[in-house]
Amino acid sequence: MALDVPQERGLGHLDQRYLDGLEVCRFPLLPFLQPLPLDWMYLLYTVMFLGALGIMLGCCYRLSCVAFLCPYWYLFLLDKTSWNNHSYLYGLLGFQLALLGADRYGSVDGLFRPRKHNAHVPLWNYALLRAQVFIVYFIAGLKKLDGDWVGGFSMGSLARHWLFSPFRLVLSEELTSLLVVHGGGLVLDLSAGFLLFFDATRPLALVFVTYFHCMNSQLFSIGMFSYTMLATNGLFCRPEWPRGLVARCPPWLRGVLPSTRPPQPSPDCHYGGQGARGGLRPRQHLAAAFTILYVLEQLFLPYSHFITPGYNNWTNGLYGYSWDMMVHSRFHQHVKITYRDGLTGEVGYLKPGVFTQSRRWRDHADMLKQYSSCLSRLLPRYNVSRPRIYFDVWVSINERFQQRLVDPRVDLVRAPWSPWTPTPWLLPLLVDLSPWRQRLQELEAQLDGHTDTVFIADFPGLHLENFVSEDLGNTSLRVLRGQVLVELVEQQQNHSLQEGQGMQLPAGQYHKVHTVSPEPSCYMYLYVNTTALELERNLTRLRELRDRVRNGTERSPLPPELRPILGEPPPAGVPLDPLVSLFLRREQREQRRERESSPAQRLRRFLRRKFFLFRRSALMTLIALRNLALGRPDPERLAQEVAFASWRGEEEEGARTEGEGGVRGGPEL
């Protein structure tokens, strides 16, 4: 049975319980942190935006830093599922700016405070920011010395992207992945900080680092990180470079730009023997000590995971402050959530992700524990008493076998977890099977274009329950290592398979694969999506038929229901055939893709996406502020306002992916 609970929550589902955060599972770092009501959260975003604007303009600088920093770290600690290295870096830079004198040149404060206007900035300010950026590059390079990255398994499919097409002219896709993606990324991260630091190598470093971050902005959805790192390049140049840039501007423009005159002395700086008044003050000693301690702390944190082993999974620590960017790629084949009523013993299943919009919980034991605790509080509202929650998470990391992350027999509601001790119900990564990855790639290379495969590894004493869809009419199982017992549930038959043996699996039925060998078993599913294959064949026949009609080799007249493939409207009273409709949609997508493949069109789409993103943010903020000032309108009107704010233009409808009935990505585990 499946529990009748809300499957998805979003701004389109505007009931009071969601708006007030009563039926949403959260993942804060500290249990006492709770989100404000939705409208108040938008007010918080507004304060943070005004703080960031004040920092940029140098207006009420210290107050602006506080206005940005406090809401930002509150939001950061409120939701672990949104953590990454980039959001962590923004918080660190905001903290540093609150301590630095970044309001001396070209700032609004300098216009009203002569002592700050065009004044020297202490050298430790530059040293702190440069050290932070250096650590981002260098630690990321050290993390890429991992065997998975060096072996080319972390970003195996990235070389297929159009950005690497120039390299594929002289290298194979495999060599492009190994040498350019993985080798180039490793060398750049290890060397970028050093090359940017020295004057002789800085021009070369700026070229490669700029190219690197521009590529990343197109390869990954990482928000402002690429542009932030591009902006940090200026930190490594000589401090007077902005004055030189302003001096090259036309005279009529220089009147509204910051001054090009040399900076005035600052009481915060120590000038040594050149006019120094006295020795170093305690404040300057404190600044030097803080800089050294901060840099040491930042060098230690990425390797401090032994302190909190409860946050360690297959990868170490809380994802976010380790700078292990792109080192691990995951693919989830299956996630199952089972609940059991503590009084009646009734068993049911939940859709993965119910009561939350995040998917990060699937990879972290601490978040699975929080998620199970949240479900145990919410399910009694749906007549499930004292629920027990079981997770069965199958994931492949860096092209390894699909395997379980946690023990599916453990009730996570009552399971122990502590940040200071290892998680006992976390299953280990089968690193002994890592050498199989080369063979798995060879096995996949031997398949034809219509056959797909899933590689599975399971622990002794556990079993995999699987359903073969009717669409997968030709599905077989083959054992690669160990021994398994295949139980056909409906036929009530058992088949024992040794290494190298296989069998055909009936479609439309459940089966169970029990690992009976003393060591982990490895096996593979081979399947052909017969429905998708037949669909592709029919579409190919339509394309060939259209070409024959156009070149005059087709003698038979087309029936009325097929005339639309020639661009003609369907006859009156004749319904459009679903296959013809799908054919026409595909043709339109291909034509649109050809039209929009130029760099100008790509730039236009990029700017369009950013425009609608900022448009939605601004409108939702105005709606929230209106709600706080005047009260919330009726739900129907609020839903219309949210729909208007979320509108993304007429091209949105044409860019949506149409559903193609019967196409499946693989067998359901």
Side-chain angles (χ1 to χ4, degrees):
M1 62 168 292
L3 188 65
D4 184 18
V5 296
Q7 298 299 312
E8 293 184 1
R9 293 284 184 179
L11 289 174
H13 188 94
L14 290 167
D15 65 32
Q16 192 67 31
R17 292 175 299 177
Y18 177 76
L19 286 174
D20 293 335
L22 299 179
E23 286 196 357
V24 178
C25 290
R26 305 285 183 181
F27 303 88
L29 178 65
L30 304 173
F32 59 83
L33 284 177
Q34 295 297 324
L36 301 172
L38 189 62
D39 292 336
W40 287 98
M41 293 297 289
Y42 273 102
L43 178 61
L44 201 65
Y45 302 150
T46 303
V47 172
M48 188 168 64
F49 168 76
L50 294 176
L53 184 64
I55 294 174
M56 182 184 72
L57 298 176
C59 180
C60 303
Y61 180 74
R62 301 297 178 191
L63 180 61
S64 296
C65 288
V66 173
F68 171 80
L69 200 59
C70 293
Y72 186 89
W73 278 100
Y74 164 72
L75 294 171
F76 182 80
L77 299 175
L78 187 63
D79 187 10
K80 290 184 290 186
T81 63
S82 62
W83 287 12
N84 54 35
N85 294 282
H86 318 144
S87 56
Y88 174 61
L89 176 63
Y90 301 151
L92 293 179
L93 293 177
F95 170 70
Q96 293 178 25
L97 289 174
L99 304 176
L100 307 183
D103 58 341
R104 307 297 175 85
Y105 182 69
S107 69
V108 175
D109 287 348
L111 299 176
F112 302 98
R113 302 181 65 179
R115 292 183 61 185
K116 282 190 173 184
H117 180 66
N118 197 23
H120 277 129
V121 176
L123 184 59
W124 72 271
N125 288 198
Y126 289 97
L128 192 64
L129 290 170
R130 289 169 179 169
Q132 184 66 74
V133 177
F134 175 86
I135 287 172
V136 172
Y137 282 118
F138 188 64
I139 299 296
L142 293 180
K143 296 286 186 174
K144 287 181 174 61
L145 292 174
D146 180 85
D148 286 358
W149 183 275
V150 175
F153 296 106
S154 296
M155 296 278 118
S157 61
L158 199 60
R160 302 171 190 168
H161 197 277
W162 64 269
L163 282 172
F164 296 98
S165 53
F167 300 100
R168 295 198 301 270
L169 296 175
V170 294
L171 298 172
S172 65
E173 184 179 307
E174 292 76 13
L175 286 177
T176 301
S177 176
L178 183 63
L179 299 180
V180 180
V181 176
H182 292 88
L186 172 64
V187 172
L188 188 138
D189 279 337
L190 285 175
S191 61
F194 296 100
L195 297 178
L196 286 169
F197 188 78
F198 296 103
D199 293 342
T201 56
R202 189 175 301 122
L204 180 65
L206 290 175
V207 171
F208 282 104
V209 167
T210 301
Y211 179 67
F212 174 73
H213 290 300
C214 289
M215 288 184 66
N216 283 344
S217 68
Q218 300 301 310
L219 289 171
F220 308 108
S221 299
I222 51 178
M224 296 298 297
F225 178 70
S226 298
Y227 313 108
T228 302
M229 294 305 292
L230 285 173
T232 61
N233 289 341
L235 294 173
F236 293 89
C237 300
R238 293 184 177 274
E240 62 270 14
W241 72 265
R243 304 176 195 277
L245 186 62
V246 172
R248 294 175 180 269
C249 294
W252 61 269
L253 186 59
R254 268 181 266 167
V256 296
L257 293 177
S259 172
T260 58
R261 295 194 301 270
Q264 64 171 330
S266 170
D268 296 329
C269 297
H270 180 73
Y271 295 94
Q274 301 178 1
R277 293 181 296 178
L280 290 171
R281 297 191 297 274
R283 181 179 178 182
Q284 293 167 330
H285 283 289
L286 185 62
F290 169 78
T291 303
I292 295 173
L293 291 176
Y294 179 86
V295 172
L296 292 176
E297 176 259 350
Q298 284 295 303
L299 291 172
F300 170 72
L301 270 182
Y303 299 96
S304 64
H305 306 306
F306 62 91
I307 299 176
T308 55
Y311 290 111
N312 296 343
N313 302 282
W314 290 350
T315 58
N316 284 332
L318 288 168
Y319 180 73
Y321 62 83
S322 298
W323 311 120
D324 51 352
M325 293 172 281
M326 306 302 173
V327 177
H328 305 106
S329 61
R330 295 174 175 86
F331 174 70
H332 296 82
Q333 184 69 27
H334 168 67
V335 178
K336 182 171 71 173
I337 306 176
T338 306
Y339 71 87
R340 181 186 297 274
D341 191 299
L343 293 180
T344 65
E346 183 181 17
V347 175
Y349 303 93
L350 298 175
K351 180 180 178 180
V354 65
F355 298 118
T356 180
Q357 295 180 335
S358 172
R359 295 181 294 178
R360 184 72 67 83
W361 53 266
R362 301 179 299 177
D363 299 316
H364 300 271
D366 58 302
M367 297 187 199
L368 284 170
K369 176 64 177 178
Q370 288 178 294
Y371 193 26
S372 63
S373 299
C374 177
L375 292 176
S376 70
R377 294 192 301 270
L378 295 177
L379 291 185
R381 304 178 187 178
Y382 300 90
N383 300 321
V384 180
S385 303
R386 291 187 291 182
R388 300 178 180 181
I389 308 295
Y390 306 87
F391 288 89
D392 196 11
V393 181
W394 289 82
V395 59
S396 168
I397 184 169
N398 291 349
E399 302 187 17
R400 290 179 173 85
F401 285 95
Q402 288 279 340
Q403 68 159 95
R404 285 182 164 100
L405 177 68
V406 297
D407 193 332
R409 301 166 296 188
V410 176
D411 172 21
L412 295 195
V413 177
R414 295 161 181 82
W417 181 86
S418 170
W420 317 113
T421 58
T423 305
W425 37 270
L426 182 72
L427 296 177
L429 179 65
L430 296 173
V431 293
D432 294 342
L433 301 178
S434 297
W436 275 79
R437 288 180 291 189
Q438 193 67 36
R439 184 179 174 187
L440 300 186
Q441 292 177 349
E442 295 172 357
L443 290 172
E444 283 188 303
Q446 296 172 6
L447 303 177
D448 57 44
H450 304 297
T451 303
D452 289 311
T453 183
V454 178
F455 298 101
I456 306 293
D458 204 3
F459 293 89
L462 298 179
H463 73 273
L464 165 65
E465 183 178 16
N466 196 359
F467 178 80
V468 179
S469 171
E470 295 281 2
D471 298 327
L472 308 178
N474 185 13
T475 302
S476 61
L477 184 144
R478 177 184 171 190
V479 179
L480 303 176
R481 173 179 167 178
Q483 181 180 359
V484 302
L485 182 69
V486 181
E487 176 187 354
L488 303 180
V489 178
E490 294 186 14
Q491 302 177 14
Q492 297 184 352
Q493 296 179 0
N494 295 332
H495 299 267
S496 180
L497 301 179
Q498 305 281 347
E499 182 175 334
Q501 296 179 337
M503 64 174 292
Q504 198 77 12
L505 297 172
Q509 298 183 23
Y510 280 95
H511 66 272
K512 298 180 181 179
V513 183
H514 301 263
T515 298
V516 296
S517 55
E519 72 278 355
S521 65
C522 305
Y523 50 93
M524 60 186 290
Y525 283 97
L526 289 168
Y527 61 93
V528 177
N529 193 326
T530 52
T531 302
L533 179 59
E534 184 63 25
L535 178 64
E536 291 298 330
R537 289 173 177 171
N538 290 334
L539 292 174
T540 301
R541 294 191 189 103
L542 282 179
R543 188 175 293 106
E544 294 173 349
L545 177 61
R546 182 196 60 184
D547 294 341
R548 290 198 305 269
V549 172
R550 287 179 174 177
N551 60 31
T553 58
E554 178 63 35
R555 303 302 181 186
S556 303
L558 282 181
E561 63 271 14
L562 296 184
R563 301 296 299 179
I565 68 174
L566 300 177
E568 301 178 4
V574 178
L576 187 62
D577 185 89
L579 182 64
V580 174
S581 176
L582 176 60
F583 175 82
L584 295 176
R585 290 199 302 269
R586 281 200 173 187
E587 291 292 312
Q588 292 172 359
R589 285 203 304 271
E590 292 177 2
Q591 294 172 4
R592 184 168 58 248
R593 190 177 297 116
E594 291 177 0
R595 291 196 310 267
E596 298 178 353
S597 60
S598 66
Q601 289 292 339
R602 292 180 187 274
L603 177 62
R604 178 177 176 273
R605 290 201 306 273
F606 170 79
L607 295 176
R608 185 182 180 84
R609 286 197 301 269
K610 296 301 180 184
F611 167 76
F612 282 107
L613 175 64
F614 287 115
R615 174 185 179 274
R616 182 183 184 279
S617 301
L619 290 178
M620 290 299 296
T621 301
L622 291 176
I623 291 172
L625 296 178
R626 188 276 318 274
N627 293 345
L628 291 174
L630 304 177
R632 187 177 296 163
D634 61 88
E636 183 178 355
R637 179 185 173 186
L638 187 57
Q640 294 175 351
E641 293 175 346
V642 170
F644 176 74
S646 302
W647 182 71
R648 299 176 62 183
E650 297 177 357
E651 293 184 5
E652 176 71 8
E653 296 182 2
R656 289 174 184 166
T657 302
E658 295 89 349
E660 300 179 4
V663 178
R664 295 174 58 89
E668 176 67 22
L669 291 185

